[in-house]
Amino acid sequence: MEHSFEPLKNDLLLRAAWGQTVERPPMWVMRQAGRYLPEYHEAKGGRDFFECCRDPEVASTLTLQPVERYAGLLDAAIIFSDILVIPQAMGMVVEMVDKKGPHFPNPLQSPTDGQYQAVLDRPVNVAEELDYVYRALTLTRKKLAGRVPLIGFCGAPWTLFCYMVEGGGTKLFAQSKMWIYKYPEETKKLLHKIADICVEHLALQVKAGAQLVMVFDSWAGELGPASFSRFSEPYLAHIAEKLPGKLKSMGLDAVPMTVFPKGAWHALDSACNLGYNVVGMDWLQDPVEAVKIRGSRNVVFQGNADPGILYGTKAAITEAVEQMVKGFWVGNKGWIANLGHGITPGVDPENLKHFFEEIHRLTKA
Ligand code: CP3
């Protein structure tokens, strides 16, 4: 082993993710280190978002903020980074525009544009390009001192591909659809290359200290069932298939793997067969139905309250928690409590505290 870290005092997340019976559901929320926290703005100051990601001291401070604020409630930390560090490592320029989101000044236009071939041909030294992520993970693991497990992550090939061809957020997905329906083979070549980089990035995150890894397919819901099975699922499966062997070859123990195919409710059944220990879902999925679809498979669910409930009353939050608990919490296993997507700016941090407290209260044996 490269590093020696303090043993975990709270390993609930890992036990639950492996499918074990646990005393209560572990809980955390996506984007828990973010703009709804006043201390986030304070620590970030006027700095650029990616500059914060590249500075291990700043990234670890931001990662720890929710762990400290919600001490005793929160069961995981997730490294402060972004899914778009992979396109950057592949040689693309990505900027984070304040209040607007990511922007690629030069998105991939078509397979005949020289940039596509250049990105495809360019060897990527992941360890070197993303070294700052690994240093941030190692420093964060040290600072956590075993309080809770540390989650590493990457974007799914399909979602990263969308950003690389759209150049940022979009409502139409016109470029992405043009690529898949006009140039399916060229698209698949790029998806495959991204998937291999994902495997390497996740393995190096584990080596640096990540104890569970999650793949975010935020745009999965833009594809219908047939296209999802062609352009997203094979690459998600590729990651789940390759990562354990890669870890083994590096002398590292396996870690639980989570996939979050946001919006692809139609594919829940097949998502349970992709090779991941945990399947995340958004609030379009009914918990009772989801558990029925899972059947007897040893897959753990993660989610899925509408992040928008945190703009509501405490009573509304309680009701949303009750619905999740009723559906997901069967036999003291199989559920990691979370929101159905990232927590949004403008939420009162006290409401997130109430969300956590209600999960505790309603799942007490
Ligand atoms: O606390 C955490 O969840 C850890 C850090 C984290 C960030 N991004 C930090 C961040 C994680 C896990 C992500 C993943 C991510 N990044 C996804 C997948 C999850 C999802 O939300 O679907 C996506 C699609 C991105 C790309 C991205 N990064 C977008 C679209 C944006 C702008 C929109 C937004 O929510 O701000 C970002 C910026 C970003 N990533 C911020 C943070 C804290 C906000 C930056 C700021 O303005 O301070």
Side-chain angles (χ1 to χ4, degrees):
M1 274 300 293
E2 291 261 313
H3 308 285
S4 75
F5 299 114
E6 274 186 51
L8 275 175
K9 298 178 196 89
N10 172 357
D11 65 350
L12 186 63
L13 176 80
L14 303 183
R15 285 185 284 126
W18 285 122
Q20 296 173 16
T21 302
V22 283
E23 52 282 17
R24 61 175 178 84
M27 52 198 189
W28 67 282
V29 299
M30 292 180 267
R31 294 286 176 94
Q32 62 188 23
R35 287 165 298 172
Y36 72 106
L37 289 177
E39 58 267 37
Y40 171 79
H41 296 280
E42 211 170 292
K44 185 172 175 255
R47 261 183 295 243
D48 170 69
F49 171 75
F50 285 114
E51 197 185 310
C52 294
C53 295
R54 291 192 187 106
D55 183 328
E57 189 55 55
V58 176
S60 62
T61 298
L62 295 172
T63 304
L64 286 175
Q65 285 180 340
V67 177
E68 275 153 13
R69 177 184 275 261
Y70 302 108
L73 290 169
L74 202 53
D75 297 303
I78 179 162
I79 192 65
F80 189 86
S81 181
D82 203 84
I83 64 167
L84 300 176
V85 300
I86 285 183
Q88 287 174 334
M90 295 174 79
M92 298 191 74
V93 175
V94 189
E95 297 153 358
M96 195 59 72
V97 183
D98 222 19
K99 296 191 171 68
K100 282 190 76 183
H103 173 68
F104 292 59
N106 302 301
L108 303 181
Q109 312 241 332
S110 87
T112 51
D113 127 19
Q115 208 196 345
Y116 164 81
Q117 203 57 47
V119 165
L120 211 55
D121 292 344
R122 185 177 178 273
V124 179
N125 187 336
V126 181
E128 199 175 290
E129 296 283 349
L130 298 181
D131 180 58
Y132 63 89
V133 179
Y134 314 129
R135 287 191 293 123
L137 280 156
T138 303
L139 182 60
T140 305
R141 262 299 284 280
K142 283 187 188 140
K143 288 192 189 175
L144 274 169
R147 275 176 281 179
V148 290
L150 179 57
I151 302 172
F153 68 91
C154 71
W158 162 247
T159 291
L160 294 178
F161 169 82
C162 289
Y163 276 107
M164 289 164 72
V165 301
E166 300 286 349
T170 171
K171 281 203 167 74
L172 282 181
F173 290 82
Q175 292 305 110
S176 314
K177 299 294 168 77
M178 186 271 283
W179 275 81
I180 63 174
Y181 296 123
K182 210 169 183 178
Y183 310 115
E185 292 317 311
E186 290 86 347
T187 297
K188 286 177 186 171
K189 271 190 201 141
L190 190 53
L191 288 167
H192 197 98
K193 168 136 186 165
I194 300 170
D196 281 334
I197 296 173
C198 289
V199 172
E200 195 164 352
H201 185 39
L202 293 177
L204 290 168
Q205 289 185 66
V206 173
K207 182 179 171 203
Q211 293 157 293
L212 178 153
V213 294
M214 174 156 168
V215 181
F216 286 89
D217 206 354
S218 305
W219 299 131
E222 291 303 318
L223 296 171
S227 299
F228 182 68
S229 71
R230 258 174 240 153
F231 297 103
S232 174
E233 275 189 324
Y235 307 96
L236 294 173
H238 179 82
I239 295 169
E241 192 189 311
K242 295 290 170 193
L243 184 61
K246 176 94 189 166
L247 291 175
K248 204 166 177 201
S249 76
M250 292 163 72
L252 299 165
D253 289 336
V255 298
M257 301 180 290
T258 301
V259 65
F260 177 46
K262 182 172 183 293
W265 53 269
H266 53 81
L268 182 62
D269 181 47
S270 58
C272 290
N273 294 335
L274 285 175
Y276 290 82
N277 307 86
V278 183
V279 173
M281 64 196 69
D282 60 62
W283 60 99
L284 300 186
Q285 194 87 54
D286 175 59
V288 173
E289 274 309 304
V291 166
K292 260 190 226 156
I293 290 167
R294 175 174 63 190
S296 61
R297 288 173 287 189
N298 188 22
V299 171
V300 174
F301 284 160
Q302 175 172 281
N304 77 337
D306 179 353
I309 60 154
L310 299 178
Y311 293 126
T313 60
K314 293 228 157 62
I317 295 168
T318 298
E319 196 190 324
V321 170
E322 277 167 353
Q323 282 167 11
M324 283 196 297
V325 169
K326 208 171 86 198
F328 287 132
W329 191 232
V330 278
N332 273 60
K333 62 192 276 228
W335 181 42
I336 296 166
N338 205 310
L339 296 171
H341 200 192
I343 186 168
T344 44
V347 159
D348 181 349
E350 282 302 302
N351 281 354
L352 180 59
K353 186 170 178 222
H354 182 71
F355 177 76
F356 287 145
E357 285 170 344
E358 290 297 82
I359 296 166
H360 259 271
R361 185 176 68 81
L362 293 164
T363 56
K364 239 188 249 142

